[in-house]
């Protein structure tokens, strides 16, 4: 493995997860059959996926000045992540996610930002040298958009590759999209950004082209069990199929994919190889419960890939 450096900028949450038979209707109370608290947040999940899959990663984030924030930092350090850029915010709580998971492994989530809202442009400026020195920066949208924009601007000026996972779905300015090298939406997020429904290959290609037109070189639309639609500007897009496994919990599947994909790229894999590596990591993750508890280590990914050959 190489020594390329990755920065992940993003959110940290404590996930409260309740497994239920089916999602409740408004006004309905349902009984759960399993409850757990696990560490999550899209930024932290992607950082853990990158760290466990072998990246040299620094994480820029915020936690509260509470015991759970302290415990999360300790855990992240054991996941091969440099934690010196994770700030504890005084008089604030660590972010929280409330998650229902049904029998099909689908989930619905509500979040409270807490300390994540304090990942400001001032903090990004404070840690900008980490972005300047990195080969790539991976971001999501659970952090203030101004911080994401500034980090992308710093990266673009210093030849640091910008990878954006545009989740949760929201409108984004062209000024940000034009700074992105690789974008990784799911079907819903791609439609939100482009207005084009991704119901088939034609829709996927049209949505990808709309994103290319905004200046993005590579578009990876995740399609769940089908795999991903991979499109490089100026070339015809294609499906890169995933692996068939029995899903138990899909909470961190996309985050695991993103962290592992960027790790693969930084190791010198080509895009198809990096996507396949990420597919393997995500396939393992969905067979396990929870967010970060489900994320596999590098040896598990390599073993899985060997078994598929």
């Amino acid at each position: 493995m190489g020594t390329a450096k990755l920065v992940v900028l993003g959110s940290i949450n404590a996930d409260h997860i309740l497994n239920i038979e089916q999602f409740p209707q408004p006004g309905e109370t349902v009984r759960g059959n399993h409850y757990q608290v696990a560490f999550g947040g899209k930024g932290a999940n992607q950082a853990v996926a990158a760290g466990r899959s072998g990246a040299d990663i620094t994480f820029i984030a915020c936690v509260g000045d509470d015991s759970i924030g302290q415990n999360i930092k300790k855990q992240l350090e054991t996941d091969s992540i440099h934690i010196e850029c994770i700030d504890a915010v005084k008089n604030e709580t660590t972010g929280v996610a409330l998650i229902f998971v049904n029998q099909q492994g689908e989930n619905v989530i509500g979040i409270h930002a807490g300390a994540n809202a304090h990942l400001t442009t001032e903090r990004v400026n404070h840690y900008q040298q980490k972005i300047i020195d990195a080969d790539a920066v991976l971001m999501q949208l659970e952090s203030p958009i101004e911080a994401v924009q500034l980090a992308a601007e710093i990266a673009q000026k210093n030849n640091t590759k910008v990878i954006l996972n545009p989740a949760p779905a929201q409108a984004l300015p062209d000024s940000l999209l034009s700074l992105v090298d690789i974008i990784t939406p799911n079907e819903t997020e791609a439609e939100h950004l482009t207005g084009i429904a991704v119901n088939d290959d034609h829709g996927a290609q049209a949505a990808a082209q709309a994103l290319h037109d905004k200046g993005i070189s590579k578009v990876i639309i995740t399609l769940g069990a089908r795999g991903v639609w991979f499109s490089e500007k100026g070339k015809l897009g294609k499906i890169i199929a995933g692996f068939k496994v029995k899903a138990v919990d899909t909470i961190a599947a996309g985050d695991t994919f993103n962290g592992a994909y960027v790790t693969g790229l930084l190791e010198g894999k080509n895009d198809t190889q990096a996507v396949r590596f990420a597919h393997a990591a995500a396939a393992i993750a969905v067979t396990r419960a929870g967010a970060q508890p489900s994320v596999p280590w590098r040896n598990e990914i390599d073993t899985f890939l060997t078994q598929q050959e």
Side-chain angles (χ1 to χ4, degrees):
M1 290 180 282
T3 57
K5 295 182 183 299
L6 171 65
V7 165
V8 173
L9 183 146
S11 57
I12 295 176
N13 290 329
D15 291 347
H16 295 257
I17 305 164
L18 183 65
N19 292 84
I20 54 181
E21 288 192 9
Q22 59 187 19
F23 298 135
Q25 298 298 313
E28 181 185 11
T29 299
V30 298
R31 293 184 181 275
N33 51 54
H34 183 261
Y35 168 75
Q36 66 172 319
V37 179
F39 299 151
K42 294 194 70 64
N45 294 344
Q46 293 180 19
V48 168
R52 291 186 187 176
S53 59
D56 181 352
I57 170 191
T58 297
F59 189 19
I60 300 175
C62 293
V63 294
D65 64 346
D66 46 24
S67 60
I68 197 160
Q70 295 173 6
N71 291 336
I72 288 173
K73 287 182 69 172
K74 290 177 183 177
Q75 177 59 48
L76 291 172
E77 196 167 25
T78 69
D79 289 321
S80 303
I81 295 167
H82 303 301
I83 64 168
E84 64 269 20
C85 300
I86 301 176
D87 292 342
V89 181
K90 290 184 179 180
N91 302 316
E92 186 58 272
T93 59
T94 299
V96 171
L98 305 178
I99 304 171
F100 283 161
V101 180
N102 70 10
Q103 281 188 321
Q104 288 72 46
E106 301 168 324
N107 60 75
V108 293
I109 305 173
I111 62 174
H112 171 63
N116 293 314
H118 295 267
L119 185 52
T120 59
T121 54
E122 288 77 17
R123 292 187 195 277
V124 173
N125 272 320
H126 182 70
Y127 293 123
Q128 66 175 298
Q129 195 61 47
K130 294 292 185 182
I131 299 171
I132 292 169
D133 293 341
D135 295 276
V137 59
L138 171 61
M139 298 183 285
Q140 325 76 33
L141 300 177
E142 287 181 346
S143 305
I145 193 66
E146 298 85 1
V148 175
Q149 174 89 30
L150 178 58
E153 290 171 357
I154 294 168
Q156 197 266 347
K157 290 176 183 176
N158 293 279
N159 297 313
T160 299
K161 192 178 295 294
V162 177
I163 300 96
L164 178 66
N165 175 226
Q170 62 179 275
L172 294 176
D174 287 349
S175 60
L176 171 56
L177 293 173
S178 66
L179 301 171
V180 174
D181 295 293
I182 305 171
I183 196 165
T184 62
N186 63 21
E187 301 109 311
T188 301
E189 293 149 4
E191 181 174 357
H192 201 90
L193 289 171
T194 66
I196 299 169
V198 182
N199 297 324
D200 52 25
D201 291 358
H202 177 76
Q205 181 58 48
Q209 186 57 53
L211 292 167
H212 290 317
D213 291 343
K214 295 181 182 294
I216 301 172
S217 298
K218 295 177 183 177
V219 177
I220 300 175
I221 302 175
T222 55
L223 305 172
R226 291 186 65 206
V228 304
W229 181 265
F230 176 82
S231 179
E232 188 170 3
K233 194 171 186 177
K235 298 181 180 179
L236 188 64
K238 62 180 180 180
I239 287 279
I240 302 179
F243 299 102
K244 294 184 184 300
V245 295
K246 180 175 175 55
V248 171
D249 184 344
T250 61
I251 287 174
D255 294 333
T256 301
F257 178 92
N258 276 273
Y261 169 71
V262 177
T263 299
L265 282 187
L266 293 178
E267 290 179 3
K269 297 183 189 322
N270 64 36
D271 286 295
T272 299
Q273 291 169 333
V275 167
R276 182 176 169 82
F277 180 75
H279 275 329
I284 296 169
V286 301
T287 65
R288 303 169 175 174
Q292 290 167 33
S294 73
V295 177
W297 287 88
R298 177 57 179 259
N299 64 318
E300 296 177 293
I301 302 170
D302 289 340
T303 298
F304 182 92
L305 284 169
T306 299
Q307 292 171 344
Q308 302 302 314
E309 293 175 353

